[in-house]
Amino acid sequence: MELPFDLDELVRGALREDLGRSGDVTSEITVPDGAAARGRAVARAPGVVAGLSVFRRTFVLLDPSVAVTTSVFDGTAVEAGTALAEVRGPARSILGAERVALNFLQHMSGVATLTRRFVEACAGTGSVVLCTRKTLPGLRALERYAVEAAGGRLHRGGLDGGVLIKRNHLRMAGGVEEAVVRAKAGAPHTLKVEVEVESLEELKTALAAGADAILLDNADLETVFEAARLVAGRVPLEISGGVTLDRVGDIAAAGGLLISVGRLTHSAPAMDIALEVSPA
Amino acid sequence: MELPFDLDELVRGALREDLGRSGDVTSEITVPDGAAARGRAVARAPGVVAGLSVFRRTFVLLDPSVAVTTSVFDGTAVEAGTALAEVRGPARSILGAERVALNFLQHMSGVATLTRRFVEACAGTGSVVLCTRKTLPGLRALERYAVEAAGGRLHRGGLDGGVLIKRNHLRMAGGVEEAVVRAKAGAPHTLKVEVEVESLEELKTALAAGADAILLDNADLETVFEAARLVAGRVPLEISGGVTLDRVGDIAAAGGLLISVGRLTHSAPAMDIALEVSPA
Amino acid sequence: MELPFDLDELVRGALREDLGRSGDVTSEITVPDGAAARGRAVARAPGVVAGLSVFRRTFVLLDPSVAVTTSVFDGTAVEAGTALAEVRGPARSILGAERVALNFLQHMSGVATLTRRFVEACAGTGSVVLCTRKTLPGLRALERYAVEAAGGRLHRGGLDGGVLIKRNHLRMAGGVEEAVVRAKAGAPHTLKVEVEVESLEELKTALAAGADAILLDNADLETVFEAARLVAGRVPLEISGGVTLDRVGDIAAAGGLLISVGRLTHSAPAMDIALEVSPA
Amino acid sequence: MELPFDLDELVRGALREDLGRSGDVTSEITVPDGAAARGRAVARAPGVVAGLSVFRRTFVLLDPSVAVTTSVFDGTAVEAGTALAEVRGPARSILGAERVALNFLQHMSGVATLTRRFVEACAGTGSVVLCTRKTLPGLRALERYAVEAAGGRLHRGGLDGGVLIKRNHLRMAGGVEEAVVRAKAGAPHTLKVEVEVESLEELKTALAAGADAILLDNADLETVFEAARLVAGRVPLEISGGVTLDRVGDIAAAGGLLISVGRLTHSAPAMDIALEVSPA
Amino acid sequence: MELPFDLDELVRGALREDLGRSGDVTSEITVPDGAAARGRAVARAPGVVAGLSVFRRTFVLLDPSVAVTTSVFDGTAVEAGTALAEVRGPARSILGAERVALNFLQHMSGVATLTRRFVEACAGTGSVVLCTRKTLPGLRALERYAVEAAGGRLHRGGLDGGVLIKRNHLRMAGGVEEAVVRAKAGAPHTLKVEVEVESLEELKTALAAGADAILLDNADLETVFEAARLVAGRVPLEISGGVTLDRVGDIAAAGGLLISVGRLTHSAPAMDIALEVSPA
Amino acid sequence: MELPFDLDELVRGALREDLGRSGDVTSEITVPDGAAARGRAVARAPGVVAGLSVFRRTFVLLDPSVAVTTSVFDGTAVEAGTALAEVRGPARSILGAERVALNFLQHMSGVATLTRRFVEACAGTGSVVLCTRKTLPGLRALERYAVEAAGGRLHRGGLDGGVLIKRNHLRMAGGVEEAVVRAKAGAPHTLKVEVEVESLEELKTALAAGADAILLDNADLETVFEAARLVAGRVPLEISGGVTLDRVGDIAAAGGLLISVGRLTHSAPAMDIALEVSPA
């Protein structure tokens, strides 16, 4: 997924949030007008970088005369101490945009870093890791970009990007069979119909009713493997619920699964990245 | 801090982000039009709740006929299994707003939960815990609200809410003394001048130059205690840098400190909260 | 499809577009302040009504004291002379919102009326009529709502609501087989992969490559029937290109087709509806 | 009328409407990143072109590296098969903006094409054709531009661009004489006062009361001619109501009329224009 | 002129401008949560009040539980000490909105007060006072409302609300005659054509060319009277340029003039109004 | 203070306010398309210029091909007749943006001119002049910029930029001592606590309670001097209330005061500046 074409609005909003009415008072009263500076963005911990173009755009939107050169690509795993980008321009502009630029970069890289750990835990199994709709409000597009940059896959982008009948729908709709049949009849022909099941019995019902994909939620390892055997690759089989780094490799070993992990986006700790600014 | 008076814009944006153009396709094709439902928001893990009014507002903005009753107050520590709120109204509306409402509530409660742990680790020391400007873009007001609801204190809300001369400014301004003197002369009379120091030597210079507050960054425990002795309560002394839950109690023991912790806002894992929907 | 929850923004924009800076000058200088009026919206030609809630919302957003009562439901076919709604309130407010309210209602009803004609031409064939992405900029959600109200079905709501490999993609991607294989591997598991073909040869290739749906563009009637036989209901078969009211019945007779018609949304003439205002 | 200086907002909104959250999924998974393409916009039916700068702007706003060269001017009548513009740049960007760019161009050209037919039907009569406020919500400025490009004239742009006392106002105001007198006294001195009449009697009253322009609505041909004789060029005489292509020439023959036609904007069928994309 | 129907957006923007990110810190830390208050808005100088509904709306948008009762109408001349409105509700909400509400009310009342002085200076002459487009950016609608509330008249609301050929146009267009002729041919039939003249010679040319209105700029008193005699009420005659309170009465005495005064809107001093808040 | 980085939004709003839907009708019908012009912005009265970059930006946002060259800097005092800037480009674009550009420049220069007079009246006293939150809604950032350009100082930018306990808070909080103590405990450590006093008694209480700054409101000259003696430079002493040009010098003579003057922003008359346009 590419970043949205109208990213500027989001970045401007974040700059406003930090600059307020009166802007960077501290720089204005301590740094001489016209002073030139350079800043080096450096990883202070190992991780997977994502969001360098958002980082760059933040400086440029505050002041088009700032130049940002990046030295790695999004998706790259770096060691602590790696230089990620260099920023050159008026010192006040660099200092004024610093925090917002880092807030974007640290969060996106945090998501990428956590995603990569899940992806690596599944390496060689033929199973893939997906993010979910459990994203931070306003940041979904950036988080999805970071997940993909780190090798994760994307679930639907929102409620209109697929049909996914979850437990709450089933309680309202009267059960797996009825819900799937109704959905197959009513869904736009461009969307698949996926249904959540919580037992192998329900899984069989779903397949028989013509579900295009199955979501098996909160199952133990044995059930996951049995489900994979039952589905046998006919439709995508998604596993969710309590998927930790400790467990994900064992689950993935069932092969060919889609493993969706909410914490990639709602609980990824920020990657530690600093900007060191000095006179140019 | 109260929530912003114009919260609706943020919530509407989050609803749009999830509903897209075509809305909740799944509910529309599986749940009968007009079906009534009730949903119970339940904590699935212990934590400190924050954001219930945002949770409520999300449902109401999607459909004003949805009613939300909360059973705890923001800032309450709850056990796993505690019911937090009840939602009643058209099933499609409840299902359509569910994820966005939870995304807000889980993130804000995650911030509150982590904050409370830091606050409790400092209990009885006279030191307090602060959040920083290291917030997620667009969500700063909500995160700050959650920090305060959990007993944390607030640092400046943005670049125009205080003068804080950090290492990057010092490199451009020529040193602690010069920067503080310049800032005291140039700052609006409503803002204090705080300066970052990295040694006791610099701390003494800052005090002598008239700094209104001191930020001691990345210091070891011994230096923190010595700094506290030197400052002796004349001005606020803020400690930052690598403040983990393990260390915060030892630091706080120096007494009367402001301990600022970026991870409260940039790295708080979501609190696990579910909405269980059933026919009403 | 329901109307978007944040319709108000669109309606407010349309009111601004008509009222400009200075508002309804004519009413202000000819109609006494405080005069009460009633208006009757009447069909001046037969047609299928759609958009009454947008019509109502336009008056209410201009002046919350205006009351609008509707006497038919969206999707109803009416004769010329049928009263559709009654509006009561301050005369200046009714006159000020009249044109905008009608502009919405006439366009949406125009789309519904044309759609119904296509739907009726397919009655009894098991084929259905779909709208496309050829909508008027800014009005897509309203037009899709009108299509559905009239018995039409919806194609994907936008570029992220399905995978549809068209001729232009094929030219870039190297042919039907290669494009479908690549898409099946790369598509989110919630979206089907549909591909455009222009011959029965290509259709067979597409099926063999695993396409989830087929779009047959600009085919003659014979080819349509042969395509329907070949596909035999295994995947959705969509027909598009030059589908006029004259031809649609013959095409539909092949049975079980999805017939997509751009003109439902890009070329529907407005339905003639008037608002007759008089003193209340 | 020139296009509004802040057109970009409208175009960006239309791009968002089509791209949704996740953008052009199809191109991303079928077209290689970095592939270059060229697209030719070709008329597939005869018509009058309008909106080429909006067409161009759509591509450029999605991706500034796309270049668009136009080969005709707005207002040009073209044959089927005429090339209108060439687009060069990254294939994904061209495919991603294609539909929105065409939706604008086809609608505006549709309006221009229909307008030209009315204009030509009045050629040599000294009567002119005007559009009305019966425009599609959000698109008024673009439609008015297209009307003028095709040789039509503009009525007021909105409620604050002129005083036009219509039948509904007259019912509230107590008749033609009273309404005109009141309007002449109350209108800003920069606006003329036009009044709708439905008989020659009312027309005489309006002239006597000092109306600056007369709108004769729904009159038969004879009445139109008689009205033109009565007015004798002293003030503008506007004719409206049921003006079809069949009738407009006969009406226009009365000479010197302003003939306003709602269908120019509310019912113009799209002009058929395609974009043929191939590798560059 | 009525206030714009979508005033809320402007008021919300003003509240955001003052409340910033963190809101009314002072009230939050000094006034108990839940404390009730009443505030009395009192004129501290004589003047003409305008903007009470904007004043009220400011409180209500910050907190819908605040109630505002007004005791005079817009357009009323009041003495120093007159109570204008009473505000009741939560103390923090009243204090948080106070300044913004007063900023609106004081400016609008300032405009009304100055306008009234000009209007009174022309009383009995048959000449009227108009405001111009020299308004404060973003506040034009409010200022025009205030002018009218005080008995002033309105010029065109913006560039599209009338044709006014000024000196700068004349220099580009080649003179009064040519410009008027061109404008009469090209103007929409709903707009009058007004032209600026700077001599009686030009005035005669303008009349001969068919100008619908004349603007005589920067003329001495004698010329104004002579112009009035020449025009003799056939078309509106507008006087502008250096119209001070000292001179306006003498000018107005020529009778039947439109006297436009930029300073009504660009230079009106605020009316002194205070809000006295006390416990309820 | 620098101008906000996202000034364009404000300028675009002002252009829309003036151009309306249909733009500059007059120029379109009187000035030939493609005609080139130059405009000279000339001071018609002496004053202090501020806002030239906003002036420039207005032209450029309407038409990027317009070039603006300025010949003085913001903050410069100029005589009547001084050329301030030259504008070159398409005549229609220059005429279309002229009024809005001047509205910004005249207001900002008006604020700067008034500010300079107050500043000069305090020259040599060590006292400084401040603007307040009594700004025109939407224009605060521009007005504060103008104040500073003219040598004035800035008070807090809004309610979250400092703690200022005013009379209304005191009535709710129970008196100076209690309010200050509460505020010192509750205020963020980056903000000072200032309190309004109306007597020397209260002033002493405030100092004893630890107030970081004192606002003495509506005091006579003698009290001001006595207050200055009492405070003796320990904390900032702000004077407000009825500070006219006549009185400000006498007040300032007390030395070291902050003198805040609402009229700098709410009552500054526009500086008279004209744009003379002629063919290029």
Side-chain angles (χ1 to χ4, degrees), chain E residues 97 103 129-130 165:
Chain E
N103 284 347
V129 174
L130 282 78
I165 309 170

Side-chain angles (χ1 to χ4, degrees), chain D residues 99 101-111 269-273:
Chain D
R99 185 71 262 143
L102 286 173
N103 284 347
F104 277 116
L105 184 61
Q106 292 186 253
H107 178 60
M108 293 176 71
S109 299
V111 170
M271 177 173 167
D272 195 358
I273 302 172

Side-chain angles (χ1 to χ4, degrees), chain F residues 86-241:
Chain F
E86 189 177 74
V87 185
R88 287 184 171 274
R92 288 182 178 180
S93 303
I94 291 175
L95 292 163
E98 169 191 359
R99 185 70 264 141
V100 174
L102 286 174
N103 284 348
F104 277 117
L105 184 62
Q106 292 185 256
H107 178 58
M108 291 176 73
S109 299
V111 170
T113 300
L114 186 58
T115 300
R116 180 65 55 84
R117 295 182 68 191
F118 275 88
V119 168
E120 285 175 349
C122 300
T125 64
S127 294
V128 296
V129 174
L130 280 78
C131 61
T132 68
R133 284 166 50 238
K134 298 182 178 179
T135 55
L136 294 170
L139 299 173
R140 185 173 290 174
L142 300 193
E143 292 176 344
R144 283 162 60 85
Y145 170 88
V147 165
E148 211 173 54
R153 295 287 297 260
L154 304 179
H155 211 298
R156 58 181 178 163
L159 285 168
D160 66 344
V163 175
L164 176 44
I165 309 169
K166 305 198 74 174
R167 192 55 42 190
N168 280 342
H169 298 98
L170 291 173
R171 279 196 215 97
M172 297 305 303
V176 168
E177 183 174 2
E178 185 167 348
V180 171
V181 167
R182 215 185 283 163
K184 293 284 288 185
H189 77 279
T190 56
L191 300 183
K192 290 194 183 159
V193 170
E194 181 173 4
V195 65
E196 178 183 327
V197 299
E198 51 186 11
S199 68
L200 296 173
E201 218 48 49
E202 277 194 352
L203 188 154
K204 287 176 205 163
T205 308
L207 286 175
D212 299 314
I214 304 286
L215 165 61
L216 178 62
D217 195 37
N218 284 318
D220 57 27
L221 204 56
E222 190 180 356
T223 310
V224 169
F225 273 72
E226 183 59 23
R229 269 192 294 275
L230 277 169
V231 170
R234 279 172 298 169
V235 299
L237 176 60
E238 177 183 351
I239 306 298
S240 72

Side-chain angles (χ1 to χ4, degrees), chain A residues 11-13 15-16 19 21-23 28 33 61-63 92, chain F residues 1-2 4-6 9 140-141 144 148 157-161:
Chain A
V11 176
R12 265 196 213 96
L15 281 168
R16 272 187 216 113
L19 290 162
R21 236 177 274 90
S22 307
E28 237 176 284
D33 192 9
L61 282 177
L62 184 64
D63 181 348
R92 289 182 178 180
Chain F
M1 206 186 98
E2 292 172 26
F5 80 98
D6 56 349
E9 204 174 331
R140 185 173 290 174
R144 283 162 60 85
E148 211 173 54
L159 285 168
D160 66 344

Side-chain angles (χ1 to χ4, degrees), chain C residues 172-234:
Chain C
M172 297 304 304
V176 168
E177 182 173 2
E178 185 166 349
V180 171
V181 168
R182 216 184 282 165
K184 294 283 288 185
H189 77 279
T190 56
L191 300 182
K192 290 193 185 160
V193 170
E194 181 173 6
V195 65
E196 178 181 328
V197 299
E198 52 187 7
S199 69
L200 298 173
E201 218 49 48
E202 278 194 353
L203 188 155
K204 288 175 205 164
T205 308
L207 286 176
D212 297 316
I214 304 285
L215 165 61
L216 178 62
D217 195 38
N218 284 318
D220 57 28
L221 205 56
E222 191 180 355
T223 310
V224 169
F225 274 73
E226 183 58 23
R229 270 190 295 271
L230 277 169
V231 170
R234 280 173 296 170

Side-chain angles (χ1 to χ4, degrees), chain C residues 15-16 21-22 28 62 92, chain E residues 1 6 9 144 157 160:
Chain C
L15 281 167
R16 270 186 218 113
R21 236 177 275 90
S22 307
E28 237 175 287
L62 185 65
R92 289 183 178 179
Chain E
M1 206 186 99
D6 56 349
E9 203 174 331
R144 284 161 60 85
D160 66 344

